[in-house]
Amino acid sequence: MSSQRPSAVPAAVVDLVGFAAYSELAEFGLLATRSVDAPDLAVRQALADGADRALDRERAVLAVVEGSAAEVMAPFADALTEFDTRTRTDDWAEGVLKGVLGHGVAQDFCRALAAGVEDPVGKKLREVLDRPAPGPAAGAEAGADAEAIEVLGRLGAGDEVLASRLALWGRRVVGEALSLVTVLLDQHPGLDELAARAPGAHGADEVEPDGARTWLVARLTAEHTRRMDRLRLAA
Amino acid sequence: MSSQRPSAVPAAVVDLVGFAAYSELAEFGLLATRSVDAPDLAVRQALADGADRALDRERAVLAVVEGSAAEVMAPFADALTEFDTRTRTDDWAEGVLKGVLGHGVAQDFCRALAAGVEDPVGKKLREVLDRPAPGPAAGAEAGADAEAIEVLGRLGAGDEVLASRLALWGRRVVGEALSLVTVLLDQHPGLDELAARAPGAHGADEVEPDGARTWLVARLTAEHTRRMDRLRLAA
């Protein structure tokens, strides 16, 4: 399908690919920035490797459609600015957690919307989005964050005060991430169209048109809670 | 040679590999950090791609010896801290130039020392260090910096005031980088041993033992001047 013409891919799907790719580029930046000021060389390397994999994922998702990276991602160039400003932190562990949680919600959002995309593009897109992470924190959910999740798990396990501070921080980050979802759907009719189809594609009982967003936010919240559990942090 | 045992590689060469790998990891961090606050999406992507290639180069050079990345790089974990502190800048273009020039000196240093390493390890090491960069700024000298060089060339060409500010900044960065070379040779006898062999390996006329450092600094300065020329900045 590498010869897939842009015209053959619905505009809504190009939007989804653009946002998915952009969120991987953002994740690259978050992990790389925390790699630079990591507490030791092993963690520095681990987060750099995660950042590297975020770029691999970005390239893989962009390959689903034609058009240059900058072109496809352009509509989302400012999509994360407000989220980023509202969750700015000078604390290293909070910065890593912001990456894991914010990117986690973005990935879950993309996967939920990809379920309603018709084959063959839908199949290819889902393969890329569900690609499992290698290593000790393996699993599709971990995406580029496998190393970051492992690092946070270790930090939190040894420090109850830190763990409860991170739990509090996680609630703030996920609140901002879920607000962003609403903004994205308001500003990108293509994404809204896919969101409306998402509950049905996931086999949910009939959902009223207005109910799709509620369904989506509930789903993202549940997945966030599972992610916090895996991090052994209170959701 | 992938089964090369650590014991078969002289300690001095393990030092050189450790420093070469660490300087690529540092370059990853510099490029990635400037990717995050890049002025537009195309530049952001370009610097992220460069950062990615720095990690590829790091892995390739580490593969020349056995031992974990953290183990081989450990002796250099603080090697760039002082350089980094002395060349801290909030200016975006200065930050990019710092990466290109600092990493350029580090690469030239590693290549100069690798010339005296005996085959087969020497051959493999030189192949990795001389690996050319792809794309518009192609060439072995560009290493991971191809995109950064291209971005700086464009910025400087359109803005004389910026170009002369960057030229001044470049002199400061290279001064610090050359000081660092002396510190490295003082602190790592293995590197000093390779440096002593470097003039002969490059076919220089007989150099007195104490003269090897002078030869090395002269060579690095000349290569820095050529790099500034390519950037169209006054050295």
Side-chain angles (χ1 to χ4, degrees), chain A residues 29-106:
Chain A
L30 281 167
L31 292 173
T33 310
R34 294 291 74 84
S35 165
V36 169
D37 57 7
D40 63 53
L41 198 53
V43 171
R44 184 172 176 176
Q45 183 73 58
L47 295 184
D49 291 340
D52 187 37
R53 210 159 56 252
L55 280 190
D56 286 344
R57 295 173 67 92
E58 185 206 355
R59 286 185 199 114
V61 73
L62 284 169
V64 172
V65 297
E66 281 194 358
S68 77
E71 207 174 85
V72 175
M73 293 191 290
F76 300 96
D78 294 318
L80 301 182
T81 308
E82 204 182 332
F83 169 78
D84 209 41
T85 307
R86 284 172 179 272
T87 55
R88 205 169 285 289
T89 175
D90 289 328
D91 181 82
W92 188 82
E94 287 183 2
V96 177
L97 186 60
K98 166 185 170 171
V100 169
L101 298 182
H103 184 245
V105 171

Side-chain angles (χ1 to χ4, degrees), chain A residues 55 59, chain B residues 27 31 35 42-54 57 92 96-97 100 133-139 141-155 231:
Chain A
L55 280 190
R59 286 185 199 114
Chain B
E27 176 68 352
L31 292 173
S35 165
V43 172
R44 184 172 174 175
Q45 183 73 57
L47 295 184
D49 291 340
D52 187 37
R53 209 160 55 251
R57 295 174 68 92
W92 187 82
V96 177
L97 185 60
V100 169
E141 47 82 12
D145 310 316
E147 294 86 354
I149 290 173
E150 205 259 317
V151 165
L152 285 173
R154 240 185 311 135
L155 278 178
L231 288 160

Side-chain angles (χ1 to χ4, degrees), chain B residues 68-126:
Chain B
S68 76
E71 209 173 86
V72 174
M73 292 191 291
F76 300 97
D78 293 318
L80 301 181
T81 309
E82 203 181 332
F83 169 78
D84 211 40
T85 307
R86 285 173 178 271
T87 54
R88 205 170 285 291
T89 174
D90 288 330
D91 181 83
W92 187 82
E94 287 184 0
V96 177
L97 185 60
K98 166 184 169 170
V100 169
L101 298 182
H103 183 247
V105 171
Q107 278 192 303
D108 292 337
F109 172 78
C110 292
R111 287 193 192 115
L113 267 56
V117 177
E118 280 170 21
D119 292 337
V121 178
K123 185 167 183 285
K124 193 169 178 184
L125 185 57
R126 287 186 292 273

